Amino acid sequence: MPDIEIVEVSPRDGLQNEARLVSTEDKATLVRRCLDAGVRRIEVTAFARPDLVPQMADAEDVIAAVRDDPRLRSIGLVLNRRGLDRAVAAGCDEVTVVVVASDGLALRNQGVDTAAQVSTWQQVAADARAAGLATTVMIAAAFGCPFDGEVPSARVLDVARACLEAGPDEVAIADTIGVGVPAQVRELVGGIRGLDASVPIRAHFHNTRNTGYANAIAAIEAGVSVLDASAGGIGGCPFAPGATGNIATEDLTYLLDRSGIATGVDRESVAATGAWISARLGLQQAPALLGRAGGFPA
């Protein structure tokens, strides 16, 4: 087992905010290329309204194209019971359910406040468990909100406490707009550890203000065992202004490899995939840096 597990999110969070639509075939190829690089858990798609997130309109088709690969543990992001029903029917192995820690983004993202999202999560968690799917609750905007500003750690931990009542297999904290710093990471991870020392903690960082990789190291040091990353560093949230730049899988893998932390991921292979998907999106080059600078030693 790797020291740190990387969840590849480029097929979902990497693509959902891009104006250029990517074909179902290319999305399936992206998933397979990530599997070839050694990633095993992949957030393949989101079961969202096509009119709001058109990049995810082919969710069922993408899952159908890759679900029979024995290497893959497929994750579908869902927001409500309808999304769960679609994920179950499509054949996902896991679901991630989003609960936004701030009312401002919660209302713009899903049309209901945080308390209502917690209630939805609790019902979806029970139904997903009954259907045999593993569950992650992702607490979004845990480090700051584009509409409400600062989100107090006490509020995030209150949300986490309520979410833990439903018995998730994993809790994730997300820096949706890339404003977090290591001190916040340590405070939130330590707080969740204090609520439930047994639940695995996953972290999702954006590098919008160049703090994503420092946050990743702080998370590992605080006890996080799973990190999200996106090939090429592509990604963002269509409902959160300025939410750009997932931490790049290749750059994160370089950082961890050189720090003696095993991931089981081939960074050169991921860098090639980052360049490939960036070209499909019409980008001149991937936001990630490893593909430009090369590894070390050469």
Side-chain angles (χ1 to χ4, degrees), residues 63-110:
I63 290 287
V66 299
R67 66 187 173 204
D68 292 334
D69 192 313
R71 301 173 295 175
L72 173 65
R73 187 158 183 86
S74 60
I75 303 172
L77 184 137
V78 305
L79 302 176
N80 49 40
R81 177 54 196 265
R82 169 61 181 150
L84 173 64
D85 289 343
R86 291 176 62 193
V88 171
C92 288
D93 299 304
E94 306 179 31
V95 289
T96 294
V97 183
V98 175
V99 173
V100 183
S102 65
D103 283 331
L105 183 56
L107 289 165
R108 287 166 176 82
N109 190 41
Q110 299 180 38

Side-chain angles (χ1 to χ4, degrees), residues 97 99 117-130 133-137 159-171 196 199:
V97 183
V99 173
Q117 290 183 13
V118 170
S119 296
T120 296
W121 147 250
Q122 291 172 337
Q123 182 58 57
V124 169
D127 294 340
R129 189 177 302 109
L133 275 66
T135 60
T136 297
V137 59
V159 173
R161 183 180 293 106
C163 290
L164 284 165
E165 293 176 1
D169 295 295
E170 181 180 70
V171 171
D196 187 338
V199 65

Side-chain angles (χ1 to χ4, degrees), residues 6-10 203-204 227-231 246-250 252:
I6 292 179
V7 172
E8 178 60 48
V9 300
S10 58
H204 178 103
L227 290 170
D228 287 2
S230 174
N246 283 288
I247 58 173
T249 309
E250 55 266 50
L252 176 65

Side-chain angles (χ1 to χ4, degrees), residues 37 61 85 97 147 275 296:
D61 293 336
D85 289 343
V97 183
F147 305 105
F296 180 85

Side-chain angles (χ1 to χ4, degrees), residues 211-223:
T211 58
Y213 300 97
N215 289 339
I217 291 296
I220 292 170
E221 292 173 345

